[in-house]
Amino acid sequence: MSSTATEVVRLLTVKGGTLAVAESLTGGLVAAEITSVPGASKVFRGSVTAYATELKHRLLGVDATLLARRGAVDPQVAAQMAAGVRKALGADWGIATTGVAGPDPQDGQAVGTVYVAVDGPSAESDASASGGKVRHLRLNGDRAEIRMESVRSVLALLLAELAGEQTGNERAQDTERNGGF
């Protein structure tokens, strides 16, 4: 259990939020990391491991045309996976991983090309249809190292969003207390 996963569970518990996970290259490692934290059952709704490309469409609602045109290793696919799992499992937050862990390239993408995404309540007010935040990673190492760094990265992205949401609320309260702007 990582300190990042522990902090994610703690912040979600404090905020009364829930989480759902969509995984491809990580094959369930993100869900395992979250559920290793005592008390995770208060916030973790579940996960979908959509390893096969067609399952990203069928289970998570990723656009079939996008998958056919760009393949599964794409920032928009990651964003749609996060939004899709959030909707499918009825969670406040959705996170997703997609990429190439190796040993061979996939969909024209090099080994170590990974996209992680988060979709949450703040994304709903965003004018873009991006599905929240997406990070492109270019990772080195063997298959196991790429997969574990993908887990760390998606949890860090979620933690930054959760912490940023808290900071934003605290700033708004401070602004109100100090008379305005």
Side-chain angles (χ1 to χ4, degrees):
M1 141 182 58
S2 73
S3 60
T4 304
T6 300
E7 187 62 9
V8 162
V9 169
R10 186 191 73 74
L11 280 175
L12 285 168
T13 301
V14 167
K15 295 170 182 262
T18 56
L19 175 64
V21 176
E23 298 187 66
S24 186
L25 85 147
T26 49
L29 293 173
V30 176
E33 190 68 20
I34 292 164
T35 58
S36 73
V37 177
S41 60
K42 293 176 187 151
V43 299
F44 187 62
R45 297 278 301 151
S47 65
V48 174
T49 301
Y51 209 66
T53 299
E54 73 270 7
L55 293 179
K56 291 171 181 62
H57 169 67
R58 199 163 11 135
L59 299 176
L60 300 171
V62 176
D63 185 284
T65 304
L66 173 66
L67 288 166
R69 217 172 359 126
R70 296 207 186 140
V73 183
D74 181 83
Q76 286 182 293
V77 170
Q80 288 183 21
M81 287 173 66
V85 79
R86 179 179 173 220
K87 180 179 178 186
L89 301 185
D92 299 308
W93 293 89
I95 57 176
T97 63
T98 188
V100 185
D104 300 314
Q106 176 188 336
D107 297 331
Q109 300 289 341
V111 172
T113 303
V114 175
Y115 294 95
V116 296
V118 61
D119 185 81
S122 58
E124 290 174 354
S125 62
D126 195 351
S128 73
S130 68
K133 301 264 188 205
V134 178
R135 291 284 180 267
H136 173 235
L137 308 173
R138 185 69 192 101
L139 304 175
N140 295 311
D142 64 20
R143 182 174 172 79
E145 291 168 326
I146 290 169
R147 293 174 75 214
M148 287 313 299
E149 186 55 36
S150 299
V151 172
R152 284 189 286 275
S153 295
V154 76
L155 290 175
L157 181 60
L158 175 59
L159 182 58
E161 289 298 301
L162 290 169
E165 181 184 61
Q166 185 174 20
T167 302
N169 290 341
E170 289 166 357
R171 269 195 304 254
Q173 291 170 357
D174 186 52
T175 299
E176 282 181 25
R177 278 193 297 264
N178 290 312
F181 317 103

